Amino acid sequence: MSAINERTHERTKIVPTLIMVAGALYCLLPVAWVFVAASKAPGELFDSFTFAPGTGLLDNLRDLFSYDSGAYGLWALNSLLYAGVGGVLSTFVSASAGYALAKFDFRGGRVFFAAILAGLLIPGITLAVPQYLLLSDLHLAGTQWSVLLPSILSPFGIYLCRVYAASAIPAQMLEAARIDGAGEWRIFRSVVLPLMGPGMVTVFLLQFVGIWNNFLLPYIMLSNTRTFPLTVGLNSLLERGSGSPSLYTLAVIGAALAIIPLIALVLFLQRFWRLDLIAGGVKG
């Protein structure tokens, strides 16, 4: 009887493992193909074995950064601007709103929170056109502000910060700070923000990755190639590639390089939020 139970237990362990392996392959194989294809010369991209390394990596890098007077480097800087500045501002706004919703009882708070939850369900395409019309009336469409401003307000970030603040900030600590004479801004700056550090790092990472990979909003808002982020710039390379196949190689190596900052950021911030969580557990 015990042998039957042991075999059944082994089978139940194998099935989830196989599912996890299949999921990992589904996610990682396209990334592996991009890095391998980035090393191939234009003549090798479609004529050699899919995962066979090529011989044109250095030439591809040189051609990419010299294309259109350094357009790729400018697109990378634009992506860094949109994702970096937008991520920082969005995290601060999310932390402020989440803390207020979690720790203050004010009229309309529940309605505001319900509206945020409803905002999580609205597809991006539904908001993109009204945002374009609004920013066009403000004469901001086509500028970098038209991508930055809509990125600052994130319903998902506010929701995460509200949930995190409700559990991570003791009400007794806020009352003690008020009894000691601290103002609300000082409490927020000196007490709330340090306690919300791990949650804010998580929100910043999600916002940075979301803005970095965003295609629809900058595609609708921007028309000048000098203001394009990497997503829209690489798409323009693919569109031109139908008339000039050598541009496909530049688009592939450009996509491979665009992944590297995200990997570095995840590894760097992962170390910070682990340290913060461990510190919080020891102090608790």
Side-chain angles (χ1 to χ4, degrees):
M1 189 67 179
S2 60
I4 296 175
N5 291 336
E6 188 175 345
R7 285 197 297 271
T8 304
H9 182 64
E10 289 296 326
R11 282 198 295 269
T12 57
K13 289 171 60 178
I14 291 174
V15 173
T17 302
L18 292 177
I19 294 175
M20 292 292 293
V21 170
L25 291 175
Y26 177 79
C27 295
L28 295 178
L29 278 179
V31 179
W33 179 88
V34 168
F35 280 104
V36 172
S39 66
K40 296 184 178 183
E44 300 171 334
L45 185 59
F46 300 108
D47 297 333
S48 62
F49 177 65
T50 302
F51 289 100
T55 59
L57 177 61
L58 295 180
D59 292 335
N60 292 340
L61 286 172
R62 187 190 62 242
D63 294 341
L64 177 67
F65 285 101
S66 61
Y67 171 75
D68 196 14
S69 304
Y72 183 82
L74 190 59
W75 297 339
L77 290 177
N78 289 333
S79 288
L80 189 62
L81 171 70
Y82 300 140
V85 177
V88 170
L89 294 177
S90 177
T91 302
F92 184 77
V93 171
S94 298
S96 305
Y99 165 65
L101 288 170
K103 295 300 176 181
F104 289 88
D105 188 13
F106 56 93
R107 181 179 298 177
R110 291 185 177 181
V111 175
F112 184 65
F113 186 61
I116 291 175
L117 292 179
L120 295 175
L121 306 176
I122 300 176
I125 185 63
T126 306
L127 298 176
V129 175
Q131 286 173 344
Y132 175 80
L133 296 176
L134 177 63
L135 292 170
S136 179
D137 289 340
L138 297 174
H139 304 288
L140 293 176
T143 68
Q144 293 173 320
W145 288 107
S146 62
V147 178
L148 269 176
L149 291 178
S151 303
I152 294 175
L153 190 62
S154 168
F156 187 59
I158 295 175
Y159 171 75
L160 285 182
C161 286
R162 193 264 186 193
V163 172
Y164 191 83
S167 60
I169 303 173
Q172 297 85 349
M173 186 176 291
L174 299 177
E175 289 300 323
R178 293 185 181 112
I179 292 173
D180 290 341
E184 293 298 333
W185 169 245
R186 184 177 179 185
I187 293 173
F188 179 71
R189 178 169 50 86
S190 303
V191 178
V192 174
L193 289 182
L195 290 174
M196 292 185 66
M200 292 176 65
V201 169
T202 304
V203 171
F204 173 75
L205 178 63
L206 294 175
Q207 280 299 102
F208 187 95
V209 174
I211 299 172
W212 184 277
N213 291 328
N214 192 7
F215 172 78
L216 180 63
L217 182 66
Y219 183 75
I220 291 177
M221 293 291 183
L222 303 175
S223 57
N224 187 344
T225 58
R226 311 303 289 180
T227 61
F228 283 178
L230 283 171
T231 50
V232 182
L234 292 175
N235 179 69
S236 69
L237 273 180
L238 288 175
E239 289 178 346
R240 297 175 191 174
S242 58
S244 178
S246 62
L247 293 181
Y248 283 130
T249 305
L250 301 188
V252 170
I253 193 171
L257 293 181
I259 300 172
I260 294 175
L262 298 182
I263 296 174
L265 184 69
V266 169
L267 295 177
F268 178 73
L269 291 183
Q270 186 182 40
R271 182 184 62 174
F272 276 101
W273 78 54
R274 280 184 177 175
L275 286 176
D276 287 336
L277 289 176
I278 292 172
V282 172
K283 291 174 184 176

mmCIF file of all heavy atoms in Angstrom, residues 255-273:
data_model
loop_
_atom_site.group_PDB
_atom_site.id
_atom_site.type_symbol
_atom_site.label_atom_id
_atom_site.label_comp_id
_atom_site.label_asym_id
_atom_site.label_seq_id
_atom_site.Cartn_x
_atom_site.Cartn_y
_atom_site.Cartn_z
ATOM 1 N N ALA A 255 16.793 44.441 -30.610
ATOM 2 C CA ALA A 255 15.906 43.824 -29.624
ATOM 3 C C ALA A 255 16.705 43.084 -28.556
ATOM 4 O O ALA A 255 16.352 43.115 -27.371
ATOM 5 C CB ALA A 255 14.942 42.869 -30.332
ATOM 6 N N ALA A 256 17.788 42.422 -28.977
ATOM 7 C CA ALA A 256 18.622 41.703 -28.003
ATOM 8 C C ALA A 256 19.243 42.671 -27.004
ATOM 9 O O ALA A 256 19.260 42.418 -25.790
ATOM 10 C CB ALA A 256 19.706 40.912 -28.734
ATOM 11 N N LEU A 257 19.757 43.793 -27.484
ATOM 12 C CA LEU A 257 20.367 44.776 -26.574
ATOM 13 C C LEU A 257 19.324 45.414 -25.665
ATOM 14 O O LEU A 257 19.624 45.779 -24.527
ATOM 15 C CB LEU A 257 21.080 45.855 -27.391
ATOM 16 C CG LEU A 257 22.318 45.402 -28.178
ATOM 17 C CD1 LEU A 257 22.926 46.596 -28.920
ATOM 18 C CD2 LEU A 257 23.354 44.778 -27.256
ATOM 19 N N ALA A 258 18.077 45.547 -26.144
ATOM 20 C CA ALA A 258 17.027 46.176 -25.336
ATOM 21 C C ALA A 258 16.636 45.321 -24.139
ATOM 22 O O ALA A 258 16.070 45.841 -23.166
ATOM 23 C CB ALA A 258 15.789 46.438 -26.206
ATOM 24 N N ILE A 259 16.930 44.010 -24.192
ATOM 25 C CA ILE A 259 16.594 43.123 -23.071
ATOM 26 C C ILE A 259 17.588 43.282 -21.922
ATOM 27 O O ILE A 259 17.232 43.136 -20.749
ATOM 28 C CB ILE A 259 16.573 41.658 -23.546
ATOM 29 C CG1 ILE A 259 15.525 41.474 -24.639
ATOM 30 C CG2 ILE A 259 16.280 40.699 -22.399
ATOM 31 C CD1 ILE A 259 15.564 40.101 -25.292
ATOM 32 N N ILE A 260 18.843 43.603 -22.252
ATOM 33 C CA ILE A 260 19.914 43.589 -21.248
ATOM 34 C C ILE A 260 19.640 44.547 -20.086
ATOM 35 O O ILE A 260 19.813 44.175 -18.914
ATOM 36 C CB ILE A 260 21.263 43.888 -21.930
ATOM 37 C CG1 ILE A 260 21.608 42.743 -22.890
ATOM 38 C CG2 ILE A 260 22.364 44.066 -20.896
ATOM 39 C CD1 ILE A 260 22.860 42.970 -23.706
ATOM 40 N N PRO A 261 19.202 45.815 -20.305
ATOM 41 C CA PRO A 261 18.932 46.700 -19.151
ATOM 42 C C PRO A 261 17.854 46.149 -18.223
ATOM 43 O O PRO A 261 17.953 46.320 -17.001
ATOM 44 C CB PRO A 261 18.478 48.006 -19.818
ATOM 45 C CG PRO A 261 19.082 47.985 -21.168
ATOM 46 C CD PRO A 261 19.074 46.547 -21.579
ATOM 47 N N LEU A 262 16.846 45.476 -18.768
ATOM 48 C CA LEU A 262 15.790 44.922 -17.918
ATOM 49 C C LEU A 262 16.335 43.799 -17.047
ATOM 50 O O LEU A 262 16.015 43.706 -15.855
ATOM 51 C CB LEU A 262 14.634 44.412 -18.785
ATOM 52 C CG LEU A 262 13.921 45.464 -19.636
ATOM 53 C CD1 LEU A 262 12.769 44.822 -20.406
ATOM 54 C CD2 LEU A 262 13.400 46.595 -18.771
ATOM 55 N N ILE A 263 17.178 42.930 -17.624
ATOM 56 C CA ILE A 263 17.776 41.845 -16.841
ATOM 57 C C ILE A 263 18.651 42.423 -15.726
ATOM 58 O O ILE A 263 18.585 41.989 -14.562
ATOM 59 C CB ILE A 263 18.599 40.919 -17.752
ATOM 60 C CG1 ILE A 263 17.689 40.236 -18.775
ATOM 61 C CG2 ILE A 263 19.340 39.868 -16.928
ATOM 62 C CD1 ILE A 263 18.433 39.410 -19.801
ATOM 63 N N ALA A 264 19.466 43.436 -16.061
ATOM 64 C CA ALA A 264 20.340 44.045 -15.055
ATOM 65 C C ALA A 264 19.524 44.707 -13.950
ATOM 66 O O ALA A 264 19.858 44.597 -12.758
ATOM 67 C CB ALA A 264 21.257 45.071 -15.736
ATOM 68 N N LEU A 265 18.431 45.377 -14.325
ATOM 69 C CA LEU A 265 17.606 46.055 -13.316
ATOM 70 C C LEU A 265 16.936 45.051 -12.375
ATOM 71 O O LEU A 265 16.889 45.267 -11.159
ATOM 72 C CB LEU A 265 16.537 46.907 -14.011
ATOM 73 C CG LEU A 265 15.675 47.747 -13.072
ATOM 74 C CD1 LEU A 265 16.494 48.858 -12.436
ATOM 75 C CD2 LEU A 265 14.479 48.327 -13.808
ATOM 76 N N VAL A 266 16.407 43.970 -12.931
ATOM 77 C CA VAL A 266 15.761 42.948 -12.089
ATOM 78 C C VAL A 266 16.767 42.354 -11.108
ATOM 79 O O VAL A 266 16.480 42.218 -9.912
ATOM 80 C CB VAL A 266 15.146 41.843 -12.968
ATOM 81 C CG1 VAL A 266 14.714 40.659 -12.114
ATOM 82 C CG2 VAL A 266 13.959 42.385 -13.742
ATOM 83 N N LEU A 267 17.961 42.017 -11.579
ATOM 84 C CA LEU A 267 18.967 41.434 -10.687
ATOM 85 C C LEU A 267 19.393 42.435 -9.617
ATOM 86 O O LEU A 267 19.556 42.079 -8.443
ATOM 87 C CB LEU A 267 20.183 40.985 -11.505
ATOM 88 C CG LEU A 267 19.924 39.842 -12.500
ATOM 89 C CD1 LEU A 267 21.178 39.544 -13.304
ATOM 90 C CD2 LEU A 267 19.454 38.597 -11.770
ATOM 91 N N PHE A 268 19.536 43.704 -9.983
ATOM 92 C CA PHE A 268 19.975 44.717 -9.032
ATOM 93 C C PHE A 268 18.901 44.987 -7.976
ATOM 94 O O PHE A 268 19.181 44.991 -6.767
ATOM 95 C CB PHE A 268 20.303 46.009 -9.796
ATOM 96 C CG PHE A 268 20.732 47.138 -8.909
ATOM 97 C CD1 PHE A 268 21.986 47.134 -8.312
ATOM 98 C CD2 PHE A 268 19.893 48.213 -8.674
ATOM 99 C CE1 PHE A 268 22.381 48.169 -7.496
ATOM 100 C CE2 PHE A 268 20.279 49.255 -7.867
ATOM 101 C CZ PHE A 268 21.526 49.237 -7.275
ATOM 102 N N LEU A 269 17.655 45.192 -8.386
ATOM 103 C CA LEU A 269 16.591 45.515 -7.428
ATOM 104 C C LEU A 269 16.179 44.299 -6.614
ATOM 105 O O LEU A 269 15.719 44.452 -5.478
ATOM 106 C CB LEU A 269 15.376 46.076 -8.177
ATOM 107 C CG LEU A 269 15.578 47.456 -8.787
ATOM 108 C CD1 LEU A 269 14.294 47.946 -9.437
ATOM 109 C CD2 LEU A 269 16.031 48.457 -7.737
ATOM 110 N N GLN A 270 16.322 43.106 -7.167
ATOM 111 C CA GLN A 270 15.985 41.910 -6.413
ATOM 112 C C GLN A 270 16.831 41.827 -5.147
ATOM 113 O O GLN A 270 16.337 41.466 -4.082
ATOM 114 C CB GLN A 270 16.218 40.679 -7.286
ATOM 115 C CG GLN A 270 15.766 39.379 -6.635
ATOM 116 C CD GLN A 270 16.057 38.180 -7.509
ATOM 117 O OE1 GLN A 270 17.097 38.100 -8.145
ATOM 118 N NE2 GLN A 270 15.143 37.231 -7.537
ATOM 119 N N ARG A 271 18.076 42.212 -5.249
ATOM 120 C CA ARG A 271 18.941 42.195 -4.066
ATOM 121 C C ARG A 271 18.428 43.154 -3.012
ATOM 122 O O ARG A 271 18.424 42.867 -1.830
ATOM 123 C CB ARG A 271 20.360 42.581 -4.488
ATOM 124 C CG ARG A 271 21.360 42.559 -3.358
ATOM 125 C CD ARG A 271 22.709 43.036 -3.807
ATOM 126 N NE ARG A 271 22.661 44.423 -4.257
ATOM 127 C CZ ARG A 271 23.741 45.122 -4.596
ATOM 128 N NH1 ARG A 271 24.924 44.551 -4.572
ATOM 129 N NH2 ARG A 271 23.635 46.366 -4.988
ATOM 130 N N PHE A 272 17.936 44.326 -3.430
ATOM 131 C CA PHE A 272 17.470 45.325 -2.465
ATOM 132 C C PHE A 272 16.198 44.879 -1.768
ATOM 133 O O PHE A 272 16.063 45.007 -0.566
ATOM 134 C CB PHE A 272 17.235 46.668 -3.171
ATOM 135 C CG PHE A 272 18.480 47.465 -3.298
ATOM 136 C CD1 PHE A 272 19.174 47.493 -4.502
ATOM 137 C CD2 PHE A 272 18.991 48.177 -2.240
ATOM 138 C CE1 PHE A 272 20.339 48.208 -4.639
ATOM 139 C CE2 PHE A 272 20.164 48.898 -2.349
ATOM 140 C CZ PHE A 272 20.837 48.917 -3.565
ATOM 141 N N TRP A 273 15.221 44.375 -2.537
ATOM 142 C CA TRP A 273 13.979 44.060 -1.836
ATOM 143 C C TRP A 273 14.141 42.820 -0.965
ATOM 144 O O TRP A 273 13.477 42.693 0.042
ATOM 145 C CB TRP A 273 12.789 43.961 -2.775
ATOM 146 C CG TRP A 273 12.612 42.728 -3.602
ATOM 147 C CD1 TRP A 273 12.558 41.442 -3.188
ATOM 148 C CD2 TRP A 273 12.407 42.684 -5.015
ATOM 149 N NE1 TRP A 273 12.355 40.591 -4.244
ATOM 150 C CE2 TRP A 273 12.247 41.330 -5.381
ATOM 151 C CE3 TRP A 273 12.333 43.666 -6.006
ATOM 152 C CZ2 TRP A 273 12.027 40.934 -6.691
ATOM 153 C CZ3 TRP A 273 12.108 43.270 -7.306
ATOM 154 C CH2 TRP A 273 11.969 41.922 -7.634
#
